[in-house]
Amino acid sequence: MASGLLLSALTVPAVVAAPAASAAMPTVPDSLPLFPEVTENPQITVTREDGTPVTGETPVHRGDVLLVHGNGFSPEANRGGFVMPVPPGTANGVYVLYSGFGETWRPSEGAPGEARTHPHDQLAWVLPDDSLAALPTAPVDMRTPIAREAQRMEDDGTFTARLTVDPPAETPGDRFGVYVYPAAGSVNAAEEIYVPVPFSTGPGPNTPAPASPDLVLDADLVARAAEAAQGGLKGRDGAVVLDDGRVGFTADGSVGSTERYRGTVHATARFSLVDVALRDPWIETRADGTRVLTAEVSDSWNSATDAMRRVDLGPAGALI
């Protein structure tokens, strides 16, 4: 088993983040008198990329792309909420996502965060440019990871958020559709919107081919550390997270004496503030006959796939 593999490559940042992320995060009321009053009439419409309206009659499939067009939102709203990552007094914007929630999901009605559980890297965080620029870069860089999921809210309160339909295997409920609600712990009933769009579990024209666990590595310690940091492990592009704490990668042929596998595993913490990735492991046979497991690994604790380098992870026989 390759417990040493992902432990050395991914675990340290998640373990460091775990104590802080697991504590209850303080919040600031959005109704503080020092915040500006806003007038808004938020509305959304949902279309395909070609402009075809999406209705509640036609199901979507994994891999389909939806465009969520918002208007009537206020870029001045939602200045309370969590004290991080967005500084209090700065507009938090809204989350836009496709998933399945239960009947009771609205923050303004007291629904807990668990009712809206959704991976941060699979949503659009729509916020004004000034809010993104206000995110701190030191002592902890919160701007870089959030910029990966950020999409722009214009000064007039309009936006077009691009979503790829990819709900997690387990969703909080079975009412599938597009959800919009205030980001980062803000509470604003006017911006809580649900548009029903049914989901088909069958493959569609844009559904990626399923990953095949041809190379299986142990990741139990990493998974537990990431979950403690209110994040998790995610497999993409040929990688799959298995139920027994292992991760699998899909065979991608051989080049010379190198067996190649494809796929990316991300270990994340809350808000994706930690995002360390391991991509495309290979088994290389060296000139002396030794077989070494290598992979591309993130350069830093929040660089994800933005900056990676291939490193030796150890003898293949000891890790597989």
Side-chain angles (χ1 to χ4, degrees), residues 13 19 21 53 55-56 77 87 142 226 287:
T55 68
M142 298 184 181

Side-chain angles (χ1 to χ4, degrees), residues 98-192:
Y98 180 89
S99 188
F101 288 174
E103 187 74 32
T104 302
W105 66 272
R106 300 174 187 271
S108 65
E109 296 175 357
E114 291 78 7
R116 298 177 298 280
T117 300
H118 190 80
H120 256 264
D121 62 350
Q122 292 173 231
L123 57 74
W125 190 334
V126 178
L127 73 171
D129 286 343
D130 288 347
S131 296
L132 184 61
L135 294 173
T137 57
V140 176
D141 182 2
M142 298 184 181
R143 188 183 305 166
T144 296
I146 291 175
R148 295 190 191 104
E149 63 201 48
Q151 299 191 37
R152 176 180 295 165
M153 179 180 290
E154 304 293 345
D155 292 342
D156 62 0
T158 62
F159 62 82
T160 297
R162 186 180 188 274
L163 301 178
T164 299
V165 175
D166 189 19
E170 296 183 8
T171 58
D174 58 5
R175 299 171 74 242
F176 282 90
V178 172
Y179 288 85
V180 178
Y181 57 95
S186 279
V187 178
N188 179 355
E191 293 185 349
E192 298 171 352

Side-chain angles (χ1 to χ4, degrees), residues 45-55 65-69 160:
T45 57
V46 184
T47 70
R48 302 276 187 169
E49 284 192 293
D50 63 3
T52 303
V54 173
T55 68
V65 173
L66 303 177
L67 298 183
V68 182
H69 309 274
T160 297

Side-chain angles (χ1 to χ4, degrees), residues 2-18 218-226 229 233 267-268 274 276-278 297 301:
S3 57
L5 156 66
L6 291 183
L7 180 61
S8 61
L10 302 179
T11 303
V12 174
V15 171
V16 171
D218 183 34
D220 181 63
L221 290 175
V222 183
R224 282 186 280 158
L233 287 186
T268 64
V274 171
V276 185
L278 183 145
V297 177
W301 56 270

Side-chain angles (χ1 to χ4, degrees), residues 1-8 213-222 224 242-249 278 293 313-320:
M1 293 295 181
S3 57
L5 156 66
L6 291 183
L7 180 61
S8 61
D214 300 310
L215 175 69
V216 177
L217 307 173
D218 183 34
D220 181 63
L221 290 175
V222 183
R224 282 186 280 158
L242 305 175
D243 293 337
D244 59 1
R246 299 184 297 168
V247 293
F249 297 86
L278 183 145
L293 186 65
L313 299 171
L319 296 173
I320 300 172

Side-chain angles (χ1 to χ4, degrees), residues 1-2 5-6 211-219 238-242 244-253 258-265 278-284 291-296 310 313-320:
M1 293 295 181
L5 156 66
L6 291 183
S212 175
D214 300 310
L215 175 69
V216 177
L217 307 173
D218 183 34
V240 59
V241 178
L242 305 175
D244 59 1
R246 299 184 297 168
V247 293
F249 297 86
T250 302
D252 198 29
T258 299
E259 301 171 26
R260 295 189 174 188
Y261 299 84
R262 63 178 177 85
T264 304
V265 172
L278 183 145
R279 181 171 66 191
D280 296 349
W282 297 350
I283 300 175
E284 302 180 17
R291 300 174 77 240
V292 178
L293 186 65
T294 72
E296 295 182 19
R310 182 164 293 276
L313 299 171
L319 296 173
I320 300 172

